[in-house]
Amino acid sequence: MFLLYKYDIFWAFLIISNVIPILAFLISAVLAPISKGPEKLSSYESGIEPMGDAWLQFRIRYYMFALVFVVFDVETVFLYPWAISFDVLGVSVFIEAFIFMLILIVGSVYAWRKGALEWS
């Protein structure tokens, strides 16, 4: 027989985690002052008039550098559980981690040769 009372904590957590943000938005909508003047509707509220166009194009190199950083940063996080449980898991996990590191090194060399790691 499936017993639902085992999931009471889960349902309580789910309900509370949904109610708190909704209440926060409702309270801020009720209590926040509403003033729509010309300064409020301008692009910047710092008091300085915006100069030039708001559309600026960035070079793709910035995105590539950020993407390479995020990929290798996230992939390095996956190595931590292997390092912690290495003695329990054995040689097969060591071989798997070695192949994983080899793939990361090949990717790093590829990004380096393509110039994705150069900032200038």
Side-chain angles (χ1 to χ4, degrees):
M1 184 171 145
F2 187 69
L3 302 174
L4 289 177
Y5 68 86
K6 290 183 179 180
Y7 295 100
D8 287 346
I9 295 174
F10 169 74
W11 291 114
F13 177 76
L14 191 67
I15 290 170
I16 291 172
S17 64
N18 284 318
V19 166
I20 288 176
I22 292 171
L23 280 176
F25 280 119
L26 289 175
I27 291 171
S28 68
V30 170
L31 297 179
I34 299 172
S35 60
K36 293 183 180 177
E39 287 296 321
K40 186 72 171 176
L41 296 175
S42 68
S43 298
Y44 298 97
E45 296 180 17
S46 64
I48 301 172
E49 291 293 323
M51 297 183 300
D53 193 12
W55 177 257
L56 296 174
Q57 290 185 345
F58 291 98
R59 295 188 315 179
I60 191 69
R61 190 165 305 275
Y62 297 123
Y63 298 112
M64 291 298 297
F65 193 81
L67 184 64
V68 168
F69 171 76
V70 167
V71 165
F72 287 110
D73 191 44
V74 169
E75 299 300 330
T76 305
V77 170
F78 287 122
L79 291 175
Y80 186 71
W82 279 331
I84 295 297
S85 60
F86 174 71
D87 57 345
V88 176
L89 297 175
V91 178
S92 65
V93 174
F94 175 72
I95 293 170
E96 187 177 331
F98 183 74
I99 292 170
F100 182 72
M101 288 296 295
L102 189 64
I103 292 171
L104 284 180
I105 290 170
V106 168
S108 178
V109 169
Y110 176 78
W112 188 7
R113 291 216 176 161
K114 286 292 185 178
L117 301 178
E118 294 183 18
W119 191 252
S120 62

